[in-house]
Amino acid sequence: MASNGTSSNFSTNTTQTTSKNKDDILSEILTCGICLSRMSLPCCLPCAHSFCRGCLLGYAQNNNMNTSTPINYILCPFCKFQLNFRSFEHFESMLIINPTLKQLCEALDTSVLNSEQSQSQTNSPYRARCHACCLLKMLKVCKHCFFMLCDICRRTHLLEVHRESKAHLDILESRLYLINEKRLQMDKISLEYDNIRCQINAFVERLLHVIEEQRDDALRIIDERQHSNDEAFWTQNGFDNGEKLDFFISLLEIGQKRLAAKNITDKELMDLFDNLQTIPDIDEKVIESMNFSQLSLELDEACSRKQFIRVYDTDVSPMKT
């Protein structure tokens, strides 16, 4: 009887150990290789490796975020199989949930023991072959390149990333230093340009001032000559002003018409005679000898075709005077 009890206990322990090993194997199979947790909505890639649907979407989005190539793709974290897709929506439509794996995950989660084991294994690394050394070790996903690496290769990889980042920073520093030097040169040249603008404006103002002075002198001379001619004309012809001259011109026309008429009255004839008596004394010789000042105009037309201002590159040719 004791022997039978011992045999029964040994059989029970063996069954529990075998069941536990099976649960461990099943939990390991149903672990996502990206988030290292139990797969949620498992989807299979064409290479037959399965991952969480959300992990694959985030993996594809991060992998193609900074790429400028027209082809979008992802590499399987396990076998590096390349899956091409046109757009993120196209990749999302390619992910089909595996119902068998989904049922297995749900069945494993219903067990309290397996849920506790799953909770303890959620943050544990995954045991597989390292992408760098190809040895079967506990692996972690590199957030930089999404490769499955062991601790040694991961540290080596991070050192390489650190060195590359340092090299890129050195290159960026040298380029920014060169750009800043050129920017200082450009700012200095811009100040010279502003000085040239000020010189051009000052030159044009001086040139306009000279032209305006010549214009004012010429107009003053014309006004003086015209006034002199008017004064000589009205002082020497016997008439004081233009109104008086116009009166006698109209008197001449009216008198000629009245004298030519046959029915002129005595009063009209006497009025005409009285008006004619007021004609001033006119010396015809003085009028004939009357001379007026004449002016001539000379404009330098070449001035309009002359280039007063010329801006040129310093290394081309000097400015011609």
Side-chain angles (χ1 to χ4, degrees), residues 5-151:
T6 303
S7 175
S8 176
N9 292 332
F10 177 77
S11 176
T12 302
N13 294 332
T14 304
T15 303
Q16 292 178 354
T17 303
T18 305
S19 176
K20 185 176 181 180
N21 292 334
K22 290 181 179 179
D23 293 341
D24 293 339
I25 294 173
L26 184 59
S27 178
E28 184 176 350
I29 293 174
L30 297 178
T31 301
C32 176
I34 297 178
C35 66
L36 303 180
S37 301
R38 182 72 51 76
M39 284 190 291
S40 175
L41 302 177
C43 297
C44 292
L45 296 179
C47 59
H49 290 115
S50 301
F51 305 91
C52 298
R53 176 181 175 84
C55 293
L56 288 175
L57 293 177
Y59 178 33
Q61 190 172 10
N62 294 329
N63 190 41
N64 295 275
M65 183 179 297
N66 298 323
T67 59
S68 59
T69 58
I71 300 177
N72 298 319
Y73 67 92
I74 64 169
L75 298 177
C76 176
F78 288 135
C79 63
K80 305 309 172 187
F81 172 81
Q82 180 173 338
L83 176 62
N84 299 329
F85 53 92
R86 294 188 300 271
S87 62
F88 183 76
E89 291 76 11
H90 178 220
F91 176 74
E92 189 175 6
S93 64
M94 295 171 62
L95 298 180
I96 301 176
I97 299 175
N98 190 320
T100 303
L101 294 178
K102 181 180 178 183
Q103 292 177 1
L104 288 175
C105 292
E106 292 175 353
L108 191 59
D109 289 336
T110 56
S111 175
V112 178
L113 179 61
N114 288 338
S115 64
E116 293 177 354
Q117 293 178 355
S118 175
Q119 184 177 2
S120 64
Q121 294 175 1
T122 299
N123 298 324
S124 62
Y126 187 74
R127 187 177 181 85
R129 293 192 180 276
C130 177
H131 177 75
C133 63
C134 299
L135 297 177
L136 188 63
K137 296 181 179 181
M138 306 300 287
L139 304 182
K140 292 183 180 180
V141 178
C142 177
K143 299 300 182 181
H144 173 256
C145 58
F146 292 95
F147 288 158
M148 304 290 290
L149 301 174
C150 62
D151 290 337

